[in-house]
């Protein structure tokens, strides 16, 4: 998709990324088809639509509906897309992309966690649409104030965005307490921006705060892993991550990697709109805390020798 010169042109997301993102919003029978595909995507190119329908305990019509729901024209298109995706995936990728086994040694755990984190960043960036991010960048850059809501692991990501925006002179507050989030949302108005961060998109406290902010006239945005989740219903802008879950890497572990990738892209985009202000603010804040940094030992030795 073409964008302006200052924006990143988003890549084409893997069909598996799309399926994982849309999974909670699919009909139950379509979810069974999705699980068959996700369990062994390489085999789909060799299986007929009848075989997939039988494996999922559903009809060929449902398989076709599933294909259309994830944005491919039909089952033949799905087979082609998955075959191409599988061809891009090396044997090493498949091994490291597997779940962490109870008997994996620490070396294997390090390798698999490192791979999964890198993959979360790569796949999140691939499917992040610059045309969707751009309007939010403009809204945040011009906002009177910005509220960010997140609980649990998402609260740390909300704090990261607050710290970044605050350092370039923008008024931003991060709220993880439900009462504080709601009372803050209640005094927002047109020209303000509220951002809700929820991996599942179904965190009641975050959705409630974002709904209140929208009711008061603020522009709202959601950052979630699932494009069809409750939080997207109260958001003017929807940004998604592409994070795979495993037995040991629950949402609390994996989600923040993808979320921080999106937050960094948002922050840089906003900072570009306030380039002179951002540079001056970053220099001022760096200087303000300079006295709290310990000198390295080589530096102290040089001072003594002088």
């Amino acid at each position: 998709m073409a964008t302006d010169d200052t924006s990143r042109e988003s890549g084409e997301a893997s069909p598996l990324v799309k399926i994982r993102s849309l999974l909670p919003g699919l009909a139950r029978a379509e979810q069974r088809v999705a699980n068959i595909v996700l369990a062994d995507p390489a085999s789909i190119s060799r299986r007929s639509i009848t075989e997939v329908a039988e494996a999922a305990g559903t009809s060929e019509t449902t398989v076709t509906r599933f294909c259309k729901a994830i944005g491919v024209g039909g089952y033949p298109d799905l087979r082609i897309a998955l075959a191409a995706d599988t061809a891009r995936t090396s044997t090493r990728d498949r091994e490291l992309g597997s779940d962490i086994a109870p008997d994996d040694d620490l070396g294997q755990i390090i390798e698999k966690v490192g791979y999964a984190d890198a993959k979360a960043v790569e796949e999140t960036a691939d499917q992040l649409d610059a045309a969707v991010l751009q309007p939010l960048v403009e809204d945040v850059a011009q906002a009177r104030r910005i509220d960010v809501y997140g609980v649990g692991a998402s609260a740390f990501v909300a704090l990261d965005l607050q710290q970044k925006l605050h350092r370039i002179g923008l008024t931003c507050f991060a709220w993880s307490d439900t009462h504080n989030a709601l009372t803050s949302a209640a005094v927002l108005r047109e020209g303000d921006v509220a951002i809700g961060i929820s991996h599942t998109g179904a965190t009641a406290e975050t959705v409630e705060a974002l709904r209140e902010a929208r009711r008061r006239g603020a522009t709202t945005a959601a950052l979630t892993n699932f494009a069809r989740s409750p939080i997207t219903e109260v958001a003017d802008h929807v940004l998604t991550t592409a994070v795979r879950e495993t037995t040991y890497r629950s949402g609390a572990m994996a989600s923040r990697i993808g979320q921080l990738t999106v937050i960094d892209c948002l922050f840089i985009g906003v900072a570009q709109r306030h380039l002179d202000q951002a540079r001056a603010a970053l220099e001022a804040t760096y200087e303000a805390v300079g006295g709290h940094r310990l000198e390295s030992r080589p530096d102290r030795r040089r001072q003594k020798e002088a």
Side-chain angles (χ1 to χ4, degrees):
M1 181 178 294
T3 60
D4 61 51
D5 292 341
T6 62
S7 300
R8 176 192 178 275
E9 186 176 5
S10 60
E12 182 66 25
S14 159
L16 300 179
V17 171
K18 291 180 181 179
I19 293 169
R20 284 192 292 269
S21 172
L22 297 173
L23 184 60
L26 297 175
R28 187 164 299 179
E30 293 170 0
Q31 288 183 352
R32 294 200 299 272
V33 177
N35 289 327
I36 294 295
V37 175
L38 292 172
D40 190 5
S43 72
I44 298 301
S45 62
R46 303 188 301 271
R47 301 171 76 176
S48 69
I49 188 172
T50 303
E51 291 173 322
V52 172
E54 289 176 352
T58 188
S59 66
E60 294 179 15
T61 302
T62 299
V63 176
T64 300
R65 273 202 312 268
F66 161 77
C67 294
K68 292 180 179 178
I70 65 169
V72 297
Y75 187 70
D77 298 305
L78 177 65
R79 293 177 65 181
I80 292 169
L82 289 173
D85 196 57
T86 301
R88 291 192 295 266
T89 306
S90 67
T91 302
R92 181 174 182 272
D93 287 340
R94 289 193 291 271
E95 290 173 352
L96 293 180
S98 62
D99 204 349
I100 296 174
D103 58 350
D104 280 349
D105 61 36
L106 193 54
Q108 291 172 304
I109 291 170
I110 292 170
E111 198 170 16
K112 286 185 176 181
V113 169
Y115 171 87
D117 284 354
K119 203 68 177 174
V121 172
E122 177 187 346
E123 292 184 342
T124 292
D126 282 346
Q127 60 81 55
L128 184 59
D129 192 341
V132 175
L133 180 61
Q134 184 70 42
L136 179 58
V137 166
E138 300 296 342
D139 286 340
V140 171
Q142 300 169 23
R144 181 185 70 98
R145 62 177 275 184
I146 304 105
D147 266 16
V148 192
Y149 313 123
V151 300
S154 295
F156 297 105
V157 180
L159 284 169
D160 182 77
L161 179 56
Q162 178 199 20
Q163 188 264 352
K164 283 181 166 66
L165 294 178
H166 187 73
R167 280 201 65 183
I168 61 172
L170 300 187
T171 303
C172 182
F173 303 94
W175 306 104
S176 59
D177 176 84
T178 304
H179 287 211
N180 287 338
L182 286 171
T183 53
S184 181
V187 296
L188 295 182
R189 61 176 188 261
E190 188 175 349
D192 297 330
V193 173
I195 302 172
I197 303 174
S198 170
H199 174 71
T200 63
T203 306
E205 296 86 347
T206 304
V207 174
E208 186 180 4
L210 204 62
R211 180 181 292 111
E212 178 66 18
R214 192 183 207 186
R215 189 170 76 88
R216 298 292 178 170
T219 297
T220 56
L223 174 54
T224 178
N225 204 63
F226 302 103
R228 296 179 185 173
S229 55
I231 198 171
T232 65
E233 298 173 4
V234 293
D236 300 310
H237 307 286
V238 177
L239 302 176
T240 54
T241 55
V243 176
R244 310 181 191 194
E245 301 299 352
T246 67
T247 302
Y248 292 96
R249 293 175 58 76
S250 65
M253 291 179 63
S255 62
R256 73 183 187 278
I257 305 298
Q259 289 171 350
L260 288 170
T261 299
V262 178
I263 290 302
D264 283 350
C265 293
L266 172 62
F267 168 70
I268 295 298
V270 172
Q272 283 184 328
R273 301 301 180 275
H274 296 280
L275 193 56
D276 292 339
Q277 173 187 325
R279 283 175 176 168
L282 289 171
E283 289 173 3
T285 53
Y286 183 85
E287 182 180 349
V289 298
H292 293 271
R293 294 189 181 90
L294 298 176
E295 296 176 350
S296 64
R297 290 178 180 177
D299 287 341
R300 288 203 296 270
R301 282 199 298 270
R302 282 196 293 271
Q303 288 178 352
K304 289 179 180 179
E305 291 170 359

